[in-house]
Amino acid sequence: KNINLTYLNCQKNNLSSLDTSANTALITLICDNNPLTNLDVSKNIVLTDLRCNYNQIQNLDLSQNPNLTFLYCISNQLTGLDLAANTFLTIVDCDSNQLQFLNASTNLALKQLSCRFNQLTNLDVSKNTALQSFKCSSNQLPNLDVSKNIVLTDFQCDNNLFGNLDISKNIA
């Protein structure tokens, strides 16, 4: 057993399961491009970098990963993503899932958020005042308040249901 393993890159395999429960020192996990339907990182409490893009993951519980800084979970089958316990997150990319729920309200350090091509009907980014890049295109958002996101330099929100959009405070 490699219990002291800190970095694992097992992308582009044919893994249908991945057990990292004994790898409690794991800091970086890259498991992109596998047919994973489940990923349990609850024992990886020092994990800071998780990349699980292009899998078939349906649920991703990150409540035991308080040190998570980077999260990339593009093209999975996630319907909800609660990031409340991950207050150190600076980059989140959860494009191309089936997200109906995304909680990023406690992620005050978040600089980049991309949640394009999902099914979001509500999204609160009012507390994400450090956001520099925010991409929420191709959702079902009827409104969006970005008035507190004054350091935004990249904002993509096309293909939603906006009737009005006020970007007068986004002077950056």
Side-chain angles (χ1 to χ4, degrees), residues 152-170:
L152 269 181
T153 56
D154 181 8
F155 179 39
Q156 299 175 25
C157 61
D158 54 298
N159 199 22
N160 274 287
L161 303 173
F162 302 134
N164 294 305
L165 183 63
D166 183 357
I167 56 169
S168 61
K169 306 271 195 252
N170 308 101

Side-chain angles (χ1 to χ4, degrees), residues 5-8 20 23-29 44 46-48:
L5 189 70
T6 59
Y7 180 91
L8 175 59
T20 61
N23 309 106
T24 55
L26 200 59
I27 294 171
T28 300
L29 174 58
N44 311 114
V46 296
L47 193 66
T48 62

Side-chain angles (χ1 to χ4, degrees), residues 112-141:
Q112 296 177 28
L113 173 60
S114 189
C115 55
R116 300 174 300 174
F117 307 104
N118 279 290
Q119 299 168 15
L120 296 170
T121 57
N122 186 33
L123 185 58
D124 182 1
V125 292
S126 62
K127 294 180 180 149
N128 308 111
T129 57
L131 267 184
Q132 297 169 353
S133 175
F134 178 35
K135 301 173 183 175
C136 61
S137 303
S138 299
N139 276 283
Q140 299 168 16
L141 297 168

